[in-house]
Amino acid sequence: MRFRRLMIFMSGFGGASVHFSPITLGNGSSPTDLTEEDLDALRFELTKTEDEIQALRQVLLAKEQYAADIRRQLGMSTLGNIKQSLSKGWQEVQTSAPYLTASATLDDISHSSVYVRTRDSLSHAGQVTSAAMSSVGVVITRRLAQMSCNPITVEHLAISSSS
């Protein structure tokens, strides 16, 4: 059975280079055929790899804290970094092929005759609805004004309901 071990070499302030080195255990047969020695070697390798992962997390956290300290010394705020990242991200989106394609498609749609007719029809319907609602508001206002000028008394209600 073949396993590959991830080896990372860190070089100062530069990036990391990744290399896989093959580790051969067993005789190449199925996992159920592993010997106790093979299983022990795998357990050891797993523990070692988990320890390396933890060490890398600690290094990454220390580098992030160091970068934050440098940003603070340079007067760069977190909010400024967020704004800069958003701005850069938005520029990348606007220049991406999917965005440009979608933008061109929407532009074509907005100039199509179907879209223009639908837009005009909806605009007209909105104007008619607005005028109708305004008229209803005027009628309600007049009726309320009439009702406030003619207060209803209890005797008037009794006479009205008996007739």
Side-chain angles (χ1 to χ4, degrees):
M1 176 168 271
R2 288 198 146 203
F3 296 94
R4 295 192 181 265
R5 186 171 189 286
L6 175 64
M7 301 184 73
I8 300 177
F9 300 98
M10 303 296 285
S11 58
F13 293 106
S17 59
V18 179
H19 301 281
F20 291 94
S21 61
I23 298 174
T24 305
L25 295 175
N27 57 9
S29 55
S30 71
T32 56
D33 295 337
L34 293 175
T35 66
E36 194 60 38
E37 183 180 324
D38 292 338
L39 293 173
D40 287 341
L42 287 173
R43 286 186 196 104
F44 174 76
E45 191 66 29
L46 177 61
T47 301
K48 188 174 170 184
T49 302
E50 287 172 343
D51 289 345
E52 289 172 355
I53 290 170
Q54 185 61 31
L56 289 171
R57 284 186 179 138
Q58 290 171 352
V59 168
L60 178 61
L61 179 62
K63 288 206 176 249
E64 286 174 343
Q65 290 171 344
Y66 181 62
D69 187 41
I70 291 172
R71 280 189 212 100
R72 190 173 74 288
Q73 290 176 6
L74 290 172
M76 299 168 66
S77 68
T78 304
L79 182 59
N81 290 337
I82 291 171
K83 283 196 272 186
Q84 185 179 14
S85 293
L86 288 174
S87 177
K88 182 180 176 191
W90 181 240
Q91 286 177 334
E92 289 173 1
V93 166
Q94 287 180 316
T95 57
S96 69
Y99 179 86
L100 293 174
T101 303
S103 180
T105 302
L106 289 174
D107 194 43
D108 291 345
I109 290 170
S110 69
H111 290 89
S112 71
S113 61
V114 173
Y115 175 82
V116 171
R117 285 193 313 262
T118 303
R119 182 194 63 207
D120 293 345
S121 296
L122 290 174
S123 176
H124 178 70
Q127 291 169 357
V128 169
T129 303
S130 177
M133 295 304 288
S134 180
S135 297
V136 168
V138 168
V139 170
I140 291 173
T141 302
R142 285 184 189 157
R143 184 65 184 141
L144 288 174
Q146 289 173 351
M147 290 172 62
S148 67
C149 291
N150 299 326
I152 300 175
T153 61
V154 175
E155 293 103 17
H156 181 36
L157 283 176
I159 294 170
S160 297
S161 61
S162 63
S163 14

